[in-house]
Amino acid sequence: MRIAVIEDNEALAQGIAFRLRDRGHAVDLLHDGREADAFLSQEGADLVVLDLNLPGMDGIDLLRALRRRGDGTPVILLTARSETAERVAGLDAGADDYLTKPFDMDELEARLRAMARRKNLEFTARDTLGPLVFDRTARQVLKDDQPLDIPRKEIATLECLIERRGRIVSKAQLITHVYGTGSDAEESAIEPHVSRLRKRLEPFGLRIKTARGLGYMLEIDVP
């Protein structure tokens, strides 16, 4: 899972990141609200851990901006504020859950797992793809534990195809995953990434099948 931790207390953020990375997740750390808003609009995440009290843009405004873009990424709020009104405001703005500081790290993990289940997400660090392994934490494709040289946008394309393995993935879905929700990139922009990725994977028995007018599907030849 790729988890964005948006928290201006850097010691707390590093502690959360250490725990989640130890569990095999990829973690992006952000400490400023405006920077986090730009990151989420361009890069995206599977889950978001969001502090309410942020410089640049507070957590409520960031959350509202996320939902206005139509981004349904699960969000858990972290706040030192005990007032019921603040928690209600966060939930009304689109948060899925909240924790009040100080909190137990085991409880944070449990709540993240619960949100992932509700969204049918899986906490899986690695995917086996025939002779290859996709490492979600490092965002790399490995052959015999050695990383293949694959550019970032092709990695993002493969990640989206893996998540929907066995199903057709539309160009619009790929554009959203690679370029971010709300991107003005044309659907044709994904075609060269798919083409180059297809050539890289074919020698390993992985095929990207084109469903004309519908999208693409990842297929794996099992020997």
Side-chain angles (χ1 to χ4, degrees), residues 4-221:
V5 175
I6 306 168
E7 165 63 67
D8 68 333
N9 182 326
E10 295 192 21
L12 175 59
Q14 290 288 354
I16 294 171
F18 179 83
R19 178 66 170 263
L20 295 176
R21 285 169 178 158
D22 188 56
R23 297 295 190 266
H25 308 304
V27 179
D28 296 293
L29 286 181
L30 301 122
H31 309 296
D32 177 89
R34 293 195 184 281
E35 291 178 4
D37 184 50
F39 174 86
L40 292 175
S41 67
Q42 295 167 14
E43 299 290 334
D46 295 316
L47 296 172
V48 175
V49 178
L50 175 63
D51 182 34
L52 278 183
N53 187 20
L54 294 168
M57 174 189 288
D58 72 27
I60 295 292
D61 288 340
L62 192 158
L63 181 55
R64 286 174 177 151
L66 186 75
R67 298 309 187 220
R68 279 198 301 269
R69 290 194 293 269
D71 191 329
T73 301
V75 175
I76 184 168
L77 295 179
L78 301 181
T79 177
R81 305 170 188 173
S82 58
E83 295 87 349
T84 300
E86 295 293 346
R87 299 196 295 270
V88 170
L91 294 170
D92 284 345
D96 297 86
D97 201 351
Y98 68 88
L99 272 177
T100 301
K101 302 174 188 175
F103 56 85
D104 187 272
M105 203 68 74
D106 287 338
E107 183 177 3
L108 173 61
E109 278 194 84
R111 288 175 181 264
L112 290 172
R113 287 195 298 270
M115 290 198 306
R117 286 195 298 270
R118 290 197 292 270
K119 294 293 183 179
N120 294 319
L121 300 172
E122 294 184 3
F123 274 58
T124 305
R126 289 190 168 199
D127 288 283
T128 300
L129 310 169
L132 303 180
V133 170
F134 179 65
D135 187 328
R136 291 178 178 271
T137 303
R139 303 197 85 193
Q140 291 181 327
V141 178
L142 308 174
K143 175 68 168 69
D144 299 327
D145 288 327
Q146 297 300 312
L148 302 181
D149 185 16
I150 301 179
R152 183 175 62 85
K153 284 188 170 59
E154 290 176 38
I155 287 288
T157 301
L158 177 60
E159 185 176 49
C160 188
L161 291 169
I162 291 171
E163 289 174 357
R164 297 162 177 82
R165 192 181 338 181
R167 293 176 286 164
I168 294 174
V169 184
S170 69
K171 289 183 180 180
Q173 288 174 311
L174 286 167
I175 285 290
T176 297
H177 192 89
V178 174
Y179 290 94
T181 301
S183 169
D184 58 2
E186 298 289 337
E187 289 190 359
S188 59
I190 204 66
E191 293 172 3
H193 302 313
V194 172
S195 178
R196 288 191 290 267
L197 182 62
R198 178 183 280 132
K199 291 177 181 177
R200 295 180 196 278
L201 298 179
E202 281 180 346
F204 303 103
L206 279 71
R207 293 180 290 117
I208 300 176
K209 180 181 178 181
T210 300
R212 192 169 299 279
L214 297 175
Y216 305 97
M217 183 168 65
L218 180 66
E219 295 182 339
I220 303 171
D221 292 333

